[in-house]
């Protein structure tokens, strides 16, 4: 029979190990693979995907990005965020451990191209507007960015509104004299080929991916000094303008007939169209828009916890019999292997010299 002192000692030891487990011993949790384009600061949808990956990792989950379409890894992410890229080794480890990945596709990607065992469809814009399917499979777990988008998805399970704009960067100047206006027409102008309206003829255009595109600080300064911001589409810039107390005017067009997230942040500071009465109302209410926005940080945290609980439960019951294949990271990718070979050879040349590098190369070729 175990003595009382020994029993207490064992219990204390288990308690100590249990206390360390959250720091040193990783839990066997289903990972999250988030499929997203490279980070683009002016895109609310893309930022939401990257921030979701960041937030999941901050909460102790394992979350990785799959950059799609492919983009050089060094320029795919925001260095400030905890958004590691998925590798073949990680994918193989999860498969061998029987951890079915929870793969999050945005609505712009049709189907399930990477053959994920469990698909979460994150609808960030109106289905089919920017590509992708108009309807989704019954086995997909659909979530939406806003309540308004949820109305366009037959079986939406959850609304996960992510505050994507940083109020530490975008804030107003006190008592500044505002003059002129600025506008944004990224997808409307360059993707859809839309014609600009006369109202923006004398406005400063905000662009992205151009040699003279403004930096975040320059955009913030522009918002702080402008009397109004016009936009031809749904964009993260709208929220950033409101945070700088710059009224936002959405310009209705064939590609913009609704505002995403209007149920969440409300109409304060926002005008639909160029009617003087609507713009005057936006100007008079813009000062409350910032506080409306701030309250969503707490709401997002609560909804993210619910999302994690529900997706982990479903993944527990999803078989993972065949490994996913992600071509851009797969070992059979010729261009990936070629690049790695050149990189390893160049690194060895710098560290070991030409003679030793040649010897090792010959041994590798001969299989020795």
């Amino acid at each position: 029979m175990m003595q009382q002192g020994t029993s207490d000692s064992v219990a204390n030891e288990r308690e100590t190990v249990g206390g360390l487990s959250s720091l040193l011993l990783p839990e066997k949790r289903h990972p999250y693979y988030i499929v997203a384009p490279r980070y683009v600061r002016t895109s609310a949808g893309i930022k939401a995907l990257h921030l979701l990956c960041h937030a999941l990792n901050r909460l102790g989950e394992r979350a990785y990005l799959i950059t799609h379409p492919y983009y050089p890894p060094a320029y795919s992410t925001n260095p400030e965020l905890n958004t590691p890229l998925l590798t073949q080794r990680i994918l193989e480890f999860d498969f061998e451990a029987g951890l079915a990945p929870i793969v999050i596709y945005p609505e712009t990607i049709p189907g399930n191209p990477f053959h994920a065992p469990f698909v979460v469809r994150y609808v960030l814009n109106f289905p089919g507007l920017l590509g992708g399917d108009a309807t989704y499979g019954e086995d997909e777990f659909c979530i939406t960015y806003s309540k308004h988008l949820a109305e366009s998805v037959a079986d939406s399970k959850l609304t996960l509104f992510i505050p994507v704009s940083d109020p530490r960067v975008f804030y107003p100047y006190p008592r500044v004299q505002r003059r002129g206006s600025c506008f944004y027409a990224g997808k409307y102008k360059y993707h859809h080929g839309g014609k600009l309206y006369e109202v923006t003829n004398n406005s400063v255009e905000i662009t992205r991916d151009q040699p003279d595109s403004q930096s975040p600080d320059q955009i913030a300064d522009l918002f702080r000094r402008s009397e109004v911001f016009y936009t031809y589409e749904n964009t993260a810039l709208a929220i950033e303008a409101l945070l700088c107390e710059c009224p936002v005017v959405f310009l209705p067009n064939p590609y913009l007939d609704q505002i995403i997230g209007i149920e969440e942040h409300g109409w304060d500071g926002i005008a639909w169209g160029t009617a003087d009465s609507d713009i005057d109302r936006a100007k008079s209410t813009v000062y409350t828009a910032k506080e409306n926005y701030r309250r969503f940080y707490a709401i997002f945290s609560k909804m993210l916890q619910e999302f994690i609980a529900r997706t982990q439960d479903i993944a527990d019951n999803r078989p993972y019999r065949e490994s996913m294949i992600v071509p851009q990271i797969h070992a059979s990718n010729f261009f990936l292997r070629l690049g790695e070979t050149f990189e390893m050879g160049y690194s060895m040349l710098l560290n070991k010299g030409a003679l030793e590098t040649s010897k090792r190369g010959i041994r590798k070729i001969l299989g020795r």
Side-chain angles (χ1 to χ4, degrees):
M1 185 174 180
M2 184 179 289
Q3 295 181 352
Q4 182 64 38
T6 306
S7 175
D8 290 344
S9 175
V10 171
N12 289 337
E13 185 177 345
R14 284 176 178 169
E15 202 171 90
T16 302
V17 173
L20 290 173
S21 65
S22 61
L23 295 176
L24 301 178
L25 306 176
E27 281 189 80
K28 295 294 185 180
R29 304 271 289 174
H30 298 280
Y32 294 86
Y33 301 169
I34 301 172
V35 183
R38 67 179 177 88
Y39 185 83
V40 176
R41 202 201 63 78
T42 54
S43 170
I46 293 174
K47 287 177 70 175
L49 292 165
H50 285 247
L51 285 169
L52 176 57
C53 181
H54 172 76
L56 287 166
N57 282 316
R58 289 287 299 271
L59 286 176
E61 303 296 331
R62 285 195 303 121
Y64 307 93
L65 289 178
I66 300 174
T67 309
H68 184 79
Y70 177 79
Y71 205 77
Y75 304 100
S76 294
T77 61
N78 180 345
E80 290 186 314
L81 302 180
N82 184 4
T83 53
L85 296 173
L86 183 69
T87 66
Q88 183 65 20
R89 181 68 192 97
I90 293 168
L91 193 151
E92 290 172 353
F93 171 84
D94 290 335
F95 178 67
E96 291 163 4
L99 298 172
I102 301 162
V103 180
I104 303 172
Y105 289 111
E107 86 291 344
T108 54
I109 296 179
N112 180 11
F114 302 136
H115 306 288
F118 177 26
V119 171
V120 171
R121 185 71 58 180
Y122 196 4
V123 180
L124 298 152
N125 208 322
F126 297 100
L129 179 66
L130 300 175
D133 300 321
T135 58
Y136 309 112
E138 293 181 1
D139 60 338
E140 295 188 8
F141 187 88
C142 292
I143 64 174
T144 58
Y145 180 70
S146 73
K147 293 178 181 177
H148 196 52
L149 286 173
E151 297 173 3
S152 63
V153 177
D155 190 24
S156 177
K157 302 292 195 301
L158 188 75
T159 293
L160 191 64
F161 180 80
I162 301 179
V164 299
S165 299
D166 191 344
R168 299 170 302 177
V169 176
F170 295 91
Y171 55 85
Y173 287 146
R175 297 181 297 278
V176 67
Q177 182 64 42
R178 294 179 178 270
R179 292 187 177 87
S181 62
C182 52
F183 77 96
Y184 181 71
K187 298 185 189 76
Y188 173 79
K189 181 178 177 180
Y190 298 103
H191 179 74
H192 298 299
K195 301 297 182 183
L196 299 181
Y197 296 169
E198 187 176 347
V199 70
T200 58
N201 281 354
N202 297 315
S203 295
V204 176
E205 182 176 7
I206 297 174
T207 62
R208 80 181 199 192
D209 298 333
Q210 305 293 329
D212 58 348
S213 291
Q214 300 93 337
S215 68
D217 288 338
Q218 289 172 326
I219 293 172
D221 185 67
L222 187 58
F223 285 150
R224 294 179 190 122
R225 298 180 184 280
S226 296
E227 193 174 354
V228 68
F229 168 60
Y230 296 103
T231 178
Y232 290 80
E233 60 196 70
N234 287 292
T235 172
L237 291 166
I239 298 297
E240 291 166 357
L242 293 175
L243 292 175
C244 294
E245 297 183 355
C246 177
V248 177
V249 178
F250 282 86
L251 300 174
N253 59 72
Y255 311 102
L256 176 67
D257 58 5
Q258 300 176 73
I259 301 174
I260 295 174
I262 198 65
E263 287 85 356
E264 283 73 21
H265 51 66
W267 285 97
D268 288 351
I270 295 174
W272 180 254
T274 56
D276 290 341
S277 58
D278 288 341
I279 294 177
D280 288 342
R281 184 195 52 76
K283 289 180 178 180
S284 66
T285 58
V286 71
Y287 306 102
T288 62
K290 180 169 57 179
E291 293 310 314
N292 294 344
Y293 179 78
R294 286 178 179 272
R295 63 190 175 90
F296 279 101
Y297 285 98
I299 295 173
F300 166 70
S301 179
K302 178 181 177 182
M303 297 308 295
L304 182 60
Q305 295 281 6
E306 180 180 342
F307 170 77
I308 291 171
R310 293 177 68 178
T311 53
Q312 289 290 329
D313 283 346
I314 294 172
D316 280 341
N317 298 300
R318 289 291 174 99
Y320 191 22
R321 298 188 182 94
E322 294 186 14
S323 177
M324 290 175 54
I325 296 178
V326 182
Q328 58 260 45
I329 66 169
H330 197 264
S332 64
N333 187 315
F334 170 77
F335 295 103
L336 182 65
R337 294 181 66 185
L338 183 64
E340 288 177 345
T341 301
F342 274 115
E343 186 62 33
M344 287 189 292
Y346 180 65
S347 179
M348 189 178 296
L349 181 65
L350 292 177
N351 286 279
K352 301 292 185 181
L355 181 60
E356 181 63 22
T357 301
S358 299
K359 288 180 179 178
R360 294 193 180 196
I362 291 170
R363 286 200 295 268
K364 187 174 181 64
I365 292 170
L366 296 176
R368 296 177 182 175

